[in-house]
Amino acid sequence: MNHQDIQRRLSEYLDEELSAVDHQIVKEHVAACGECADILAQFQRIRAGIQAGAQAELPHAFSSRALRAARLQMEKASRWTPVEFTARRAVLALFLVVLLLVGLTSFGVQQEGVSVERYLSGEMSDSAESRILFNGADISKEDVLLAALSKR
Amino acid sequence: MKQSQDDFQLVRAFQNGDEKAFEELIKRYQRQVANIIYLTLGGRDIVEDLTQEVFIRAYRSLSRFAFDASFYSWLYRITVNLCIDEIRRRKLKRTFSLDFFSEERAAASEKPSKKIQTPSDALLENEKRDVVAKALQRLKPSHRSVLILREYEDLTYEEIAQTLRISLQAVKSRIFRAREEMRTLLKEYFQERL
């Protein structure tokens, strides 16, 4: 193992996660290498800092309070579960009924097809345009005049 | 430290309806859970509520505990997951609030330690703690939780892997990276103090 390899293993060395052989190699290297010894010292300071920072405090009666809270939550959940279950089933049933009704309605009512011609003729019934469109070339001078006047 | 068999007895007792057994489990692990939360999130104000939430979740799902892992690693997994949820929630809140950093700083620096020897000792101790705590808050959550389980809980790599359901290789690499990152963040502090 060279210097770089050992630097990468310092973390595992500190945690005593290396094999006995590797542990010995790193140990000997650290004893002779100032840079690696410094890194190891910094890792140890970080560890000490984290351990010193573990200052969380809980009230004296925390355990009984937490147990009470947990029990209460469970009771609440078990009270709601059957209600929720029934409500979900009701919503699902309602949805199915609506779906069925929509299906039946759309199946029973058949819409008539609307052709462009019928649409136009409906919109322009008895107009000069409809006569020109649907009667082909059978138009008179009056038809043209009427069409021109109606466009004004 | 690990009371696996003893814990299993208490879990079995709870599964058979003995609520006092659960209270005993709370008493055993409340301090560790609270400290994991405190170290991961910083700020004492939320520690009690979140610790309670961990035990509520444990209470709810302990009936399904399968005895395939130790109780504490199961409990710490709940704790770490809750912390990660909280970090996500805060990130979301931060998107809507510009005061996030000042809130964080205020929370991190409140209430000094009670274990004071002399004023100068206490100052140095508090300073070291605060500097390290602030650096810890800047790590990626996945690196932070692994480092806390290692440094504070003294779990082995194998136990951390089991707790977080990640590979041994991932544990090694996260711990190494977390330490390197901490070293970089604390570079100036180390130069002043060494």
Side-chain angles (χ1 to χ4, degrees), chain A residues 6-67:
Chain A
I6 287 177
Q7 262 195 10
R8 275 195 295 272
R9 282 178 167 79
L10 284 175
S11 177
E12 288 169 70
Y13 171 76
L14 177 69
D15 296 332
E16 297 186 351
E17 293 276 350
L18 289 174
S19 67
V21 177
D22 285 352
H23 189 89
Q24 191 56 34
I25 293 170
V26 176
K27 191 178 176 183
E28 282 166 16
H29 177 88
V30 168
C33 173
E35 194 187 340
C36 286
D38 277 353
I39 295 173
L40 197 64
Q42 288 173 358
F43 283 170
Q44 282 163 335
R45 278 194 171 77
I46 291 165
R47 170 172 290 176
I50 292 174
Q51 286 170 351
Q55 302 271 332
E57 284 162 19
L58 291 169
H60 183 65
F62 175 82
S63 59
S64 53
R65 202 184 297 170
L67 178 63

Side-chain angles (χ1 to χ4, degrees), chain A residues 7-17 38-39 41-43 45-60 62-67 69-71 73-74 77, chain B residues 19 22-23 26-27 30-31 34-35 38-39 44 47-48 51-52 55-56 59-60 111 113-114 125 128-129 132 136 147 150-152 156-157 172 175-176 179-180 182-183 186 190 194:
Chain A
Q7 262 195 10
R8 275 195 295 272
R9 282 178 167 79
L10 284 175
S11 177
E12 288 169 70
Y13 171 76
L14 177 69
D15 296 332
E16 297 186 351
E17 293 276 350
D38 277 353
I39 295 173
Q42 288 173 358
F43 283 170
R45 278 194 171 77
I46 291 165
R47 170 172 290 176
I50 292 174
Q51 286 170 351
Q55 302 271 332
E57 284 162 19
L58 291 169
H60 183 65
F62 175 82
S63 59
S64 53
R65 202 184 297 170
L67 178 63
R71 208 184 287 147
Q73 281 240 346
M74 275 295 265
Chain B
E19 297 243 312
F22 189 75
E23 192 174 352
I26 299 178
K27 279 181 188 161
Q30 62 183 42
R31 201 175 147 266
N35 272 318
Y38 178 58
L39 289 168
R44 290 166 197 270
V47 170
E48 191 183 336
T51 307
Q52 183 167 295
F55 286 108
I56 288 173
Y59 184 96
R60 257 196 321 244
K111 258 194 183 179
S113 163
K114 279 183 182 171
E125 191 58 35
K128 182 171 82 180
R129 206 182 53 213
V132 174
L136 198 57
L147 194 63
R150 173 66 213 134
E151 305 294 38
Y152 168 66
T156 64
Y157 287 10
K172 276 184 200 175
I175 290 181
F176 175 71
R179 281 183 174 142
E180 281 297 311
M182 286 289 280
R183 230 162 54 80
L186 296 169
F190 283 142
L194 277 171

